[in-house]
Structure formats: structure tokens, C-alpha cells
């Protein structure tokens, strides 16, 4: 399987060397991409000077009975996610391979390395659902296929501290203070994820912010184990695994999900963790043997 090509690694390194800390994140769309979007999330992604994708306003549909985030944790190997209602799951990264068994509400990809490593998977599984994508992910996709994003329902996943085309900012910036909740530590949570998400080191937390903003009756979490992130994912084998930064970022991730749990309580959203091995159970997410 392919990894990030050398020329993209050099582009990123070049921006790190030639741009200051405030603008080096602009490498994400360089050189052929440009993104114009409004505070409500709507906008257009340009590629080589032509419209390549349309971004939708707002987030996920409101008022759903449930939304389940499905990651690629090893626990998913022995579970039956098809027990979930159709169009209720957000498939994260490698869980996209489940789209034939679990018709998704959305798919979500935040790291362009997934595109370079698993392009074949994405080409084989292109479900008609919301596509939640980060700017660098969209650029990587368009480098492989300039037409694939046309007519897709796209929601932008953008790091709120690194806005496209603008300078880097802190979570305490007055411009975002009205919709960013802060935890007792360095954690944060966006209550308007279409304006940007607060990163925590895992796509699961970015998707969680969209799920919380949609105010479903329940949010479930499957394959989001965290405690065994150094083991092969459910769709990997020993010796053929993609690297994961979850182990080193676990403290940060759990602090973020603790804040998310508090946000769910504030809005009367029930939480359910479908993996008894998940580190989330250790911070108060109730386990349910549903799958």
C-alpha cells in the first residue's frame, strides 16, 4: 500500500522552513487548491481554477434518534455493526470499508495519509452520504481523481486553530470564544463544528463534535478503543499496519472526550460505548453490548 508521496512530504517541509508558524498550515491546499467558505460552512473548493466540490452549510441533520461513530479499533473485528439502523453511522477512516454492510450517514477522513495509503479502499467504497473531509484530504483526493468530489454532500472538517487562508490562532481568540468550550485543562470543543473543530489527536473527536451539534437522542461509539491503538486495526494484520499517534496522545484525547461527555449531559444526549475494551469506559462512558 502506498504512503504519502515524497513530493508532498517536501511541500510540507518547505512550508515549515519558509513560512512562519502562523501560516505554514497553508501547505494543505497548495498548489492547485483554493477554498472559499462562509461562517455557516457553505462554500466552494476550487481545483486548478475550476469548481471541484461544493461545501454544505451547517452540520449533520438535526433531530436524529441516534448517531454512532464507528472507528477501526480491533474490537470491531468481533462485532456486528450491521445491527445499527441504516443511515445512522459515521464511518471513520478504515471503517469506510464497512459501507456495504452499514449504509452510513457519513464518512469522515481528517488525515491525508489515509488517502495515499488506502486510495483503493475509497475508490471501492464511495457511498451516497455526507463526506466529512479536511482540506488536505480533499486536495489529496483531487490529486488522484479531479472528478470524484463533484455532486458529493461535503462537510468541511477544519482545524479551528488553523483556518484555511488565514493566520493560526489560539483557542482563546475572541473571534471563536462564543462557540468554543474549554475544559479545565488544554482541551476544547466546538459547538459549531462547521466553523471549525478543536483537534484532539483522533478523527473520532472531530466527528464527535459534529454529532453533538446535531443533538441526536443518543450517540454511540464503536471501534473507538483507544486503549489498544498499537494493535492492528480490525481491517489490518500484524506487520501491515498504519502508524497511529493515539498512544502518545491518549491523555489529551481522554480529556477531550471528558469534555464531550459533559456537553452531552448538558443537552440530554445519551452516550453508549459498544466496546468494553475502550478507554472511554474508564472515564464514564457506559458500556452497552449492543453489537
Amino acid at each position: 500500500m502506498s504512503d504519502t508521496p515524497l513530493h508532498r512530504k517536501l511541500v510540507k517541509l518547505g512550508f515549515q522552513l519558509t513560512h512562519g508558524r502562523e501560516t505554514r498550515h497553508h501547505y494543505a491546499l497548495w498548489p492547485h487548491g483554493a477554498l472559499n467558505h462562509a461562517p455557516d460552512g457553505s462554500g466552494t473548493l476550487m481545483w486548478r481554477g475550476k469548481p471541484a466540490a461544493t461545501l454544505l452549510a451547517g452540520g449533520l441533520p438535526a433531530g436524529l434518534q441516534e448517531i454512532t461513530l464507528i472507528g477501526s479499533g480491533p474490537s470491531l473485528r468481533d462485532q456486528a455493526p450491521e445491527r445499527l439502523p441504516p443511515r445512522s453511522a459515521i464511518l471513520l477512516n478504515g471503517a469506510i470499508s464497512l459501507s456495504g454492510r452499514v449504509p452510513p450517514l457519513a464518512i469522515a477522513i481528517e488525515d491525508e495519509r489515509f488517502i495515499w495509503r488506502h486510495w483503493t479502499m475509497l475508490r471501492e467504497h464511495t457511498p451516497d452520504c455526507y463526506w466529512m473531509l479536511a482540506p488536505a484530504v480533499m486536495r489529496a483526493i483531487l490529486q488522484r481523481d479531479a472528478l470524484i468530489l463533484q455532486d458529493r454532500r461535503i462537510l468541511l472538517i477544519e482545524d479551528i486553530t488553523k483556518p484555511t487562508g488565514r493566520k493560526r490562532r489560539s483557542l482563546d481568540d475572541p473571534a471563536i470564544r462564543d462557540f468554543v468550550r474549554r475544559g479545565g485543562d488544554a482541551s476544547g470543543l466546538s459547538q459549531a463544528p462547521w466553523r471549525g473543530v478543536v483537534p484532539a489527536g483522533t478523527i473520532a473527536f472531530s466527528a464527535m463534535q459534529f454529532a453533538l451539534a446535531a443533538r441526536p437522542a443518543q450517540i454511540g461509539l464503536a471501534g473507538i478503543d483507544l486503549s489498544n491503538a498499537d494493535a492492528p486495526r480490525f481491517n489490518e494484520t500484524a506487520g501491515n499496519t498504519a502508524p497511529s499517534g493515539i498512544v502518545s496522545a491518549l491523555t489529551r484525547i481522554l480529556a477531550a472526550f471528558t469534555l464531550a461527555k459533559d456537553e452531552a449531559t448538558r443537552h440530554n444526549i445519551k452516550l453508549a460505548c459498544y466496546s468494553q475494551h475502550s478507554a472511554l469506559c474508564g472515564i464514564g462512558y457506559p458500556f452497552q453490548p449492543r453489537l
Side-chain angles (χ1 to χ4, degrees):
M1 292 182 287
S2 64
D3 201 349
T4 307
L6 178 61
H7 76 274
R8 284 312 305 180
K9 294 178 181 178
L10 292 176
V11 167
K12 185 174 182 179
L13 177 60
F15 269 73
Q16 290 174 339
L17 295 175
T18 61
H19 290 61
R21 183 175 182 274
E22 292 183 334
T23 60
R24 63 192 183 193
H25 61 280
H26 293 179
Y27 86 92
L29 290 172
W30 190 90
H32 302 302
L35 185 60
N36 301 306
H37 63 294
D40 66 359
S42 64
T44 302
L45 174 65
M46 306 295 291
W47 183 252
R48 297 182 182 272
K50 298 179 180 180
T54 300
L55 308 181
L56 298 181
L60 296 168
L64 296 176
Q65 182 61 32
E66 63 178 298
I67 295 176
T68 298
L69 313 183
I70 303 183
S72 302
S75 66
L76 205 63
R77 191 177 292 116
D78 302 318
Q79 294 183 321
E82 56 270 18
R83 293 176 182 171
L84 297 169
R87 307 297 178 185
S88 66
I90 302 177
L91 304 181
L92 313 176
N93 292 340
I96 292 171
S97 63
L98 298 172
S99 61
R101 298 164 55 190
V102 186
L105 170 67
I107 62 174
I109 311 171
E110 194 172 37
D111 190 333
E112 71 169 287
R113 290 177 297 181
F114 180 84
I115 302 302
W116 299 114
R117 188 174 181 87
H118 295 296
W119 175 247
T120 300
M121 178 192 298
L122 187 63
R123 290 291 301 177
E124 291 177 351
H125 301 275
T126 53
D128 180 17
C129 64
Y130 292 95
W131 285 38
M132 303 165 61
L133 306 172
V137 170
M138 290 190 285
R139 186 258 308 140
I141 289 174
L142 293 174
Q143 285 185 267
R144 305 297 297 266
D145 185 338
L147 302 178
I148 193 174
L149 295 183
Q150 291 184 356
D151 302 321
R152 299 290 177 188
R153 291 177 286 164
I154 298 176
L155 298 175
L156 177 66
I157 302 178
E158 183 174 66
D159 182 341
I160 203 167
T161 66
K162 301 175 183 178
T164 303
R166 289 174 287 169
K167 292 182 178 180
R168 185 181 182 125
R169 59 191 174 189
S170 75
L171 293 180
D172 296 317
D173 190 307
I176 60 177
R177 191 178 298 161
D178 62 328
F179 63 92
V180 171
R181 282 195 63 201
R182 299 301 304 276
D185 45 28
S187 62
L189 179 148
S190 174
Q191 297 173 313
W194 48 88
R195 297 180 64 180
V197 299
V198 179
T202 172
I203 178 65
F205 185 66
S206 295
M208 184 68 165
Q209 291 168 80
F210 276 92
L212 286 167
R215 304 286 188 268
Q218 176 170 298
I219 296 175
L221 301 102
I224 302 174
D225 302 345
L226 302 176
S227 58
N228 52 8
D230 52 349
R233 297 164 178 83
F234 83 96
N235 58 340
E236 296 178 332
T237 57
N240 188 22
T241 62
S244 172
I246 287 179
V247 174
S248 60
L250 186 57
T251 299
R252 176 187 177 197
I253 292 170
L254 293 181
F257 271 102
T258 298
L259 183 58
K261 181 167 65 74
D262 178 65
E263 181 75 0
T265 299
R266 293 178 66 203
H267 296 285
N268 297 313
I269 301 172
K270 295 181 180 179
L271 296 174
C273 184
Y274 303 140
S275 169
Q276 62 182 330
H277 305 293
S278 175
L280 296 177
C281 295
I283 59 170
Y285 281 67
F287 168 66
Q288 288 186 12
R290 182 178 183 184
L291 304 183

